[in-house]
Amino acid sequence: MQLRTVSELLTQDIILPEVEIKGWVRTFRANRFIALNDGSTINNIQCVVDFENFDEALLKRVTTGAAIHVKGELIESQGKGQKVEIKVSALTVLGDSDPETYPIQPKKHSFEFLRENAHLRTRTSTFSAVMRLRSALSFAIHKYFNDNGFYYTHTPIITGSDAEGAGEMFKVSSLDAKNPPLNEKGEIDYTKDFFGKETNLTVSGQLEAETYAMSLGKVYTFGPTFRAENSNTSRHLAEFWMIEPEVAFMDLAGNMDLAEDFMKSVITYVLDNNREDLEFLDKRLQDEEKSKPQAERSEMSLIEKLNFVTDNNFKRVSYTEAIDILRNSKPNKKKKFKYPINEWGTDLQSEHERFLVEKHFKCPVILFDYPANIKAFYMRLNDDEKTVRAMDILFPGIGEIVGGAQREERLDVLKERMAAINIPEEELWWYLDLRKFGTAVHSGFGLGFERLVMFATGMSNIRDVIPFPRTPQNAEF
């Protein structure tokens, strides 16, 4: 007899005389009806036990969280709520679950409580749906790039460079923390360290990916990145995953085309393949919205937001035009923005980005040509020498989701930009070499994977879309 999944059995239209299945008990009521789930679907399958034909001691072990093996006949359901159910002929308890101490009981738990039990939270419907969607999005990303001729590149996790210039990095060292070797100046002597220099966990694979784009043409990274930012907000993690494509001979317009097509493709994939999970999370979100004041409620449901991205062309707007729109907007004039827009050169906040998407243009927006002084050194300087060929994609409900740029391919200009913010040339000599030997226009962008998962699932806290969140004072599990 072939072992089946719950997902397979629930899609059957025929009676099957013999099936067997393994999973975890969600509920067992009236000593008769077992709701069983194996992680393959949001839905449980009902297993009906004739308790008179089973040992009472065995049935007492069928508790919430227990792992069981069921054999029986798949029949048309006698009750409401499901098409089919299993009429149980044999039942084995594979792993007991003490009902007194099992934390994931069949009731509503707070997300804070479930984060404390992150090793078990995927036993709940919400988190199993979120993690199946995370898996599907990951597959869709790899599929998109593979189908479009990109090479998957593994960039270093340990690095000697700071791609963002942020300085908030985790140090990697094998030196004795209590008694490190010191140099003549009394500073830690990193030449005695494992790598012979100061090293950190990476904040981005972009610079290394550029080197591969300038030989392989089209590459992408998809790996863990780290930021030692002491932030406890719902949007920050110390460890997160980044997708970073880089393409040779592609300018800013091509970069925007690629990013729009990519985002539409991966979201279309989950709309087509994860409908049940999305519908469950959509309903969860709508129920949550009802408890909020009217002014704070989202105008779109989860699935409407996803369709909003796939069904609309992304509006392309220069930063300068966006500032004019925001400066003259009603919320700005009536001082409704938390961060008023007064002058060109201001870095936009999420409230501004959402206004442009949700209120003004009513479609996803790509902002481009940002002021040079609020963007990274490696972005291509425009002829006005005030702006760079940067671009950000803005989505409803979340604001910026993708950030990218045409890269600075001119050696002299790149050296000047580095000198202006005190990045030593010897630190990035290899990056400068790309501009010495066969330089060419090239572009790329970065997408924080957890931000995408938040958008696709409607979850409001980034800690709830990664299996084991790493945040300040928390590295549990």
Side-chain angles (χ1 to χ4, degrees), residues 41 46 95 202 231 266 286-288 314 337 340 354 401 421 475:
T41 171
Q46 180 163 282
T202 187
S231 175
V266 296
Q286 287 180 44
D287 291 343
E288 193 179 81
F314 293 13
F337 284 143
R354 290 186 60 185
I401 193 164
I421 55 172

Side-chain angles (χ1 to χ4, degrees), residues 159-167 169 200-208 210 227 244 375-378 421 423 427-428 430-431:
T159 179
S161 64
D162 177 0
E164 298 292 326
M169 303 176 80
N200 308 286
L201 294 179
T202 187
V203 298
S204 168
Q206 179 210 311
L207 302 189
E208 291 89 350
E210 279 186 56
R227 197 159 291 179
E244 296 171 300
K375 289 294 182 180
F377 74 93
Y378 48 72
I421 55 172
I423 297 178
E427 190 178 300
L428 289 176
W430 50 273
Y431 190 66

